[in-house]
Amino acid sequence: MNILILGSGGREHSIAWAVMQNPKCDKLIVAPGNAGIAQIAECATLDIEDGGAVAGFCDTNAIDFVIVGPEAPLAAGVGDRLRDAGILVFGPSKAAAELEASKRFTKAICDAAGAPTAAYAHFTEADAARDHIRKHGAPIVVKADGLAAGKGVIVAETEDQALAAIDDMFAGEFGAAGAEVVIEEFMRGEEASFFVLCDGETALPIGTAQDHKRVGEGDTGPNTGGMGAYSPAPVLTDAIAEKALDRIIRPTLAEMSRRGTPYQGVLYAGLMIENGEPRLVEYNVRFGDPECQVLMMRLGAQALDLMQAAAEGRLGEARVNWADDHAMTVVMAAKGYPGAYEKGSLIKGLEDCAEDSFHMVFHAGTAQKDGQIVAAGGRVLNVTARGASLMQARDRAYAMVDRIDWPEGFCRRDIGWRAL
Ligand code: AMP
Ligand code: GLY
């Protein structure tokens, strides 16, 4: 099977790493990829949000299966374009990708499906939004409706913060994504992520994870794309996962099918858990980054079989072979991230890190320069390990971090603290 993965981050490196271990994979191309991915697969330059260009590339390169990493190509309809061309794709249609692309859409689906989530109201006028905030008071959550690269959510602790968020959104701070605003009840509890493969009808859970969104130790400082993650998430017990499937995921899939837009791909449900009861925070229509890295580390080669079964509508007969293991990934970022940071610093010591089914350094933002690896982004490396316990996975991951010689980088030393 000739496979194309779309994307360029640590998420796509980990998917490529898992796919490469499966003997079914004859050829793997990743577009655009990065310097780490280039060590295990062919990388190609391609505008991955241009469905026509991707379809043409698949034709030229005899691609049998496309795995879409990030949300942007899905929201742009690349999946539909490929399916029209008869190419097997892992990832939802543009219509089904609305579950991530529009918060208002997701809320409407939850209403129709009876899925527990925060109470909400939807506004296109700043005055009405302000009145709503004054009526309900803080804490309260203000969200830009559309895709805002993870930045369009303000969890306001005071009424003034919420009102300021309304001013910013209607002043265009988040571009078109902020022209519509969703205001939500603040939910208390512990957050965890639940990953479920879907083939339009069947839901197959493939793991749970928790990430650390704040840049600083003790979960302090500004929000980031994620500074580390671990799997499984102890707070998401089997009993709670079963409730989430019964009350949130399966009713969502049924409602999507009823509307004629069945969901196929991975559904990433962000859950808030309080007193053993899960409620939906948000859906994403792709794997989390860096959550994907710990899931792939645990699933290994079977990830390809499972994604293929989802794309072919065969999840009803698919099974996940679980090992009783744990994985952790520690993000190494360029100093300054999530603010301004420099690119181009040299990363040494990578060759001293073991690469096997228990240890992998996935590259998130790297480039090759004169035969060496240099930093080329904010989040740069995902140092990932697997073990019999979370403690063992952590010790292995930080032992690798200590071998990496990169003075211009930093990481959090406390990934997993909540679970440990
Ligand atoms: P979202 O992009 O919708 O996942 O929101 C980003 C983050 O904001 C979430 O991961 C939560 O930590 C937080 N958040 C979003 N909505 C709520 C809510 N209704 N109550 C509490 N926290 C929330
Ligand atoms: N790590 C959070 C996300 O991928 O959305």
Side-chain angles (χ1 to χ4, degrees):
M1 190 177 223
N2 296 336
I3 299 168
L4 171 67
I5 298 175
L6 302 183
S8 63
R11 167 178 52 206
E12 288 75 22
H13 191 182
S14 69
I15 296 172
W17 173 83
V19 162
M20 281 299 283
Q21 292 172 46
N22 193 310
K24 227 187 242 173
C25 175
D26 296 312
K27 179 165 86 171
L28 176 63
I29 305 179
V30 184
N34 64 36
I37 295 172
Q39 292 170 352
I40 60 168
E42 185 182 332
C43 292
T45 310
L46 181 61
D47 179 356
I48 65 168
E49 291 176 37
D50 178 343
V54 178
F57 183 90
C58 290
D59 192 35
T60 310
N61 292 281
I63 297 296
D64 304 300
F65 185 34
V66 178
I67 299 169
V68 185
E71 65 277 16
L74 297 167
V78 170
D80 306 73
R81 181 71 181 72
L82 293 174
R83 273 185 281 267
D84 287 348
I87 300 161
L88 190 66
V89 187
F90 178 76
S93 64
K94 180 180 164 76
E98 281 291 288
L99 282 175
E100 175 164 359
S102 168
K103 307 217 182 267
R104 184 191 184 192
F105 177 85
T106 298
K107 286 298 193 184
I109 293 285
C110 286
D111 284 348
T117 183
Y120 76 104
H122 168 261
F123 299 93
T124 50
E125 300 271 335
D127 281 339
R130 289 192 194 100
D131 286 346
H132 180 87
I133 289 168
R134 290 197 191 95
K135 187 168 151 221
H136 287 267
I140 195 161
V141 182
V142 180
K143 300 185 175 184
D145 180 67
L147 289 177
K151 298 192 179 79
V153 175
I154 284 93
V155 180
E157 276 153 35
T158 65
E159 213 172 288
D160 284 346
Q161 275 172 8
L163 293 170
I166 293 297
D167 293 344
D168 291 345
M169 285 190 192
F170 283 104
E173 182 167 338
F174 300 103
E180 297 189 29
V181 166
V182 169
I183 301 181
E184 283 186 12
E185 162 203 3
F186 173 78
M187 292 188 284
R188 285 171 213 286
E190 191 171 349
E191 274 187 273
S193 304
F194 191 28
F195 294 87
V196 183
L197 292 185
C198 309
D199 65 3
E201 271 182 34
T202 303
L204 182 72
I206 53 160
T208 64
Q210 267 177 308
D211 73 347
H212 294 265
K213 287 205 169 77
R214 303 297 189 107
V215 74
E217 279 162 20
D219 294 326
T220 55
N223 260 318
T224 70
M227 293 302 293
Y230 50 94
S231 173
V235 62
L236 228 171
T237 59
D238 289 349
I240 296 174
E242 210 41 62
K243 284 185 194 173
L245 278 171
D246 281 346
R247 298 178 193 166
I248 302 174
I249 311 283
R250 289 197 190 103
T252 295
L253 295 187
E255 176 61 16
M256 294 298 286
S257 290
R258 197 190 61 77
R259 292 180 178 217
T261 53
Y263 187 90
Q264 184 267 100
V266 60
L267 191 59
Y268 157 3
L271 302 176
M272 188 70 81
I273 297 155
E274 193 187 22
N275 303 325
E277 299 298 325
R279 290 206 279 169
L280 184 73
V281 179
E282 62 158 355
Y283 280 130
N284 293 302
V285 299
R286 44 149 183 105
F287 284 108
D289 187 346
E291 293 91 333
C292 185
Q293 289 80 317
V294 285
L295 294 177
M296 290 301 140
M297 194 89 210
R298 295 185 63 207
L299 291 169
Q302 65 179 320
L304 173 60
D305 302 318
L306 295 169
M307 288 188 281
Q308 187 189 354
E312 291 176 344
R314 293 187 290 101
L315 278 182
E317 62 194 54
R319 293 282 168 275
V320 182
N321 289 311
W322 290 112
D324 188 13
D325 59 358
H326 296 255
M328 181 180 291
T329 188
V330 178
V331 172
M332 295 187 78
K335 281 182 185 161
Y337 174 81
Y341 55 82
E342 302 217 337
K343 290 187 185 176
S345 54
L346 185 62
I347 303 169
K348 289 190 286 192
L350 289 169
E351 57 291 344
D352 298 332
C353 295
E355 295 200 340
D356 54 34
S357 61
F358 293 96
H359 306 83
M360 259 312 286
V361 179
F362 297 118
H363 291 218
T366 62
Q368 272 252 19
K369 202 178 160 210
D370 307 325
Q372 293 181 301
I373 300 289
V374 297
R379 290 190 295 170
V380 174
L381 299 171
N382 307 139
V383 183
T384 311
R386 192 158 71 91
S389 64
L390 186 59
M391 193 95 79
Q392 188 179 40
R394 178 193 63 179
D395 292 345
R396 286 176 171 163
Y398 280 109
M400 285 194 281
V401 166
D402 291 336
R403 279 192 208 106
I404 294 171
D405 177 11
W406 179 35
E408 294 81 4
F410 75 99
C411 68
R412 277 182 58 168
R413 283 270 159 193
D414 65 344
I415 300 305
W417 66 270
R418 221 183 243 112
L420 292 163

